[in-house]
Amino acid sequence: MTPASIVICDDHPLLVRGLADLIAGSDRFRVVATCGDGMHGLSAISALRPDLAVIDIAMPKMNGLELFVQARAAGWTGRGLLLTAAISDDETVHAVAAGVNGIVLKETAGTTLIDALEAVLAGQRWMPPDVLQAAVGRARASRDNSPLAMLTPREREVALMIADGRSNREAASALGLSEGTIKTHIRTIFEKLGADNRTAVALLVARSGARSEISFRR
């Protein structure tokens, strides 16, 4: 059986060496490149198309999650494991949403990395259960307690338009609605949020941590 190819991306040389030595002890895997920052990692993954990538979440020039997302956008279809000493709730939720195949804590990498690589190579996900459950629970609680939780999905989209500084015309174009409908939604948003103007809505959106991912047509 041909060993699965692996690219390691981490800015700590000693850790990279240790991971490479650990992986070399298994005949199922083969390290084809090591990279010390995100940009070089993206170049290596794009060029080599490895079966697997072990990516440090905190790296110079480009963080690990951004690297994974950009590699996917460039057509890479391999499996990605994020390696981290610590991971925030938001990072965990974003990693899951982005399709990251696994998260390995550095403190346990010596005993879990090979198992994690084998699991994701077989099509499974490898996530520390306590980290994942806590992150999803706290993210859900935060979202439910946000003022935006009282808005309908459409009103929330319009509120995000306002926070992005978009005019009624731009919001209407992006959402496929008439300007009159946008104005109606805005009046309702003001009433529900107790806001007097668009700036107040934008501040509430910013405090909630919500972001717009809608592409605007020009």
Side-chain angles (χ1 to χ4, degrees):
M1 181 182 296
T2 303
S5 56
I6 299 179
V7 167
I8 300 175
C9 306
D10 194 292
D11 60 332
H12 296 87
L14 289 178
L15 179 59
V16 170
R17 187 179 306 168
L19 294 176
D21 289 344
L22 178 65
I23 293 169
S26 170
D27 58 5
R28 295 199 58 190
F29 307 106
R30 174 174 58 97
V31 176
V32 294
T34 59
C35 309
D37 63 66
M39 290 299 295
H40 282 97
L42 180 59
S43 296
I45 291 172
S46 298
L48 299 173
R49 304 285 172 173
D51 299 307
L52 298 152
V54 178
I55 307 168
D56 184 9
I57 200 170
M59 286 188 294
K61 300 185 180 179
M62 181 185 298
N63 68 49
L65 185 53
E66 185 180 358
L67 166 54
F68 177 84
V69 171
Q70 291 204 25
R72 278 282 186 263
W76 176 58
T77 58
R79 306 283 178 173
L81 276 171
L82 290 183
L83 187 67
T84 180
I87 187 167
S88 70
D89 294 345
D90 282 346
E91 287 172 331
T92 302
V93 172
H94 290 161
V96 172
V100 167
N101 304 101
I103 297 173
V104 174
L105 300 177
K106 288 185 178 181
E107 64 182 14
T108 64
T111 56
T112 64
L113 181 60
I114 297 300
D115 289 340
L117 290 171
E118 291 178 344
V120 299
L121 189 62
Q124 303 169 25
R125 260 191 174 172
W126 183 279
M127 302 280 178
D130 52 339
V131 172
L132 181 60
Q133 292 170 7
V136 172
R138 280 191 286 264
R140 183 180 296 116
S142 176
R143 183 176 65 249
D144 292 344
N145 291 329
S146 166
L148 300 190
M150 67 182 68
L151 303 181
T152 66
R154 180 63 81 188
E155 289 165 355
R156 183 183 174 90
E157 289 177 336
V158 174
L160 291 172
M161 301 290 105
I162 293 172
D164 282 341
R166 305 298 174 173
S167 68
N168 289 356
R169 178 177 297 179
E170 288 175 320
S173 174
L175 298 174
L177 303 172
S178 68
E179 288 188 56
T181 300
I182 292 295
K183 290 179 182 178
T184 299
H185 281 311
I186 290 175
R187 284 196 297 270
T188 303
I189 290 167
F190 283 1
E191 291 174 1
K192 287 185 175 181
L193 298 183
D196 296 326
N197 51 53
R198 299 168 78 97
T199 300
V201 172
L203 286 172
L204 287 170
V205 171
R207 288 169 185 165
S208 76
R211 294 184 303 170
S212 174
E213 296 181 355
I214 296 174
S215 298
F216 291 90
R217 297 190 292 271
R218 295 293 187 182

